[in-house]
Amino acid sequence: MKITRNFSLQELTKSTTAIRKGIDNLPNTEHLVNLTNLCCHILQPVRSYFGRVVTINSGYRSPNLNKAVGGSSKSQHCNGEAADFECSKIGNYKLAKWVSENLEFDQLILEFYTSGQPSSGWVHCSYKSDGNNRSKIMTALRVNGKTQYKTGLI
């Protein structure tokens, strides 16, 4: 099922962990509405602007899948409001910067990026269908084996 011109439900719900562990990862109607808004307001504009393939590393996660991958109990992935993604041949810092300057979003997190290594890490971005988007920008770093969040793009 196509959600937008360049994105399908299958790529927003695929998970090797779900397949391996036999976890159902199908969204309900509310989650599907949220995924559609995420595609329309975040993912499709990125694809359209850069003209490059956008790879979804993680989209919708059912609560059981989210638990299996060690996700936060408050993860917006469980609501169909978030995706982790990269864009071919566009560095992840550059991608996050463009999103921060051009799109409305709830949270934008540059996750585990290493300066000087453009393809390191990934971009996490969420969009709330109710319009209460906070425009919160952070960078997730690993410090002594633990994840720390810093405000802004570092």
Side-chain angles (χ1 to χ4, degrees):
M1 170 183 165
K2 282 285 202 186
I3 294 178
T4 63
R5 190 174 67 152
N6 298 107
F7 294 95
S8 69
L9 179 60
Q10 192 268 340
E11 69 187 303
L12 288 158
T13 59
K14 74 174 180 174
S15 166
T16 56
T17 301
I19 293 167
R20 190 174 62 253
K21 295 188 173 217
I23 297 170
D24 178 15
N25 197 43
L26 291 178
N28 65 26
T29 302
E30 178 185 346
H31 301 146
L32 186 55
V33 168
N34 292 338
L35 286 168
T36 300
N37 279 305
L38 178 69
C39 285
C40 289
H41 294 277
I42 304 297
L43 300 173
Q44 190 62 52
V46 167
R47 172 66 166 88
S48 296
Y49 178 78
F50 287 106
R52 306 230 181 237
V53 171
V54 174
T55 302
I56 310 298
N57 300 330
S58 182
Y60 173 74
R61 294 185 208 145
S62 68
N64 288 338
L65 176 57
N66 191 59
K67 185 175 181 181
V69 299
S72 165
S73 61
K74 299 175 188 173
S75 175
Q76 289 179 287
H77 288 276
C78 296
N79 299 324
E81 295 176 331
D84 299 338
F85 59 96
E86 300 178 70
C87 188
S88 65
K89 300 184 182 178
I90 306 298
N92 288 320
Y93 180 87
K94 180 179 179 181
L95 177 58
K97 186 80 169 155
W98 185 85
V99 170
S100 75
E101 293 173 349
N102 293 281
L103 302 178
E104 178 184 353
F105 55 89
D106 185 52
Q107 273 190 331
L108 173 67
I109 308 172
L110 179 59
E111 298 199 53
F112 310 113
Y113 173 77
T114 301
S115 182
Q117 296 178 15
S119 63
S120 63
W122 59 87
V123 175
H124 166 100
C125 194
S126 63
Y127 182 86
K128 294 178 80 75
S129 297
D130 65 10
N132 292 318
N133 290 296
R134 301 171 286 171
S135 300
K136 187 174 184 180
I137 302 172
M138 296 180 290
T139 299
L141 307 164
R142 273 208 187 86
V143 179
N144 298 324
K146 298 194 183 236
T147 301
Q148 289 186 0
Y149 292 91
K150 305 285 185 184
T151 301
L153 297 175
I154 299 174

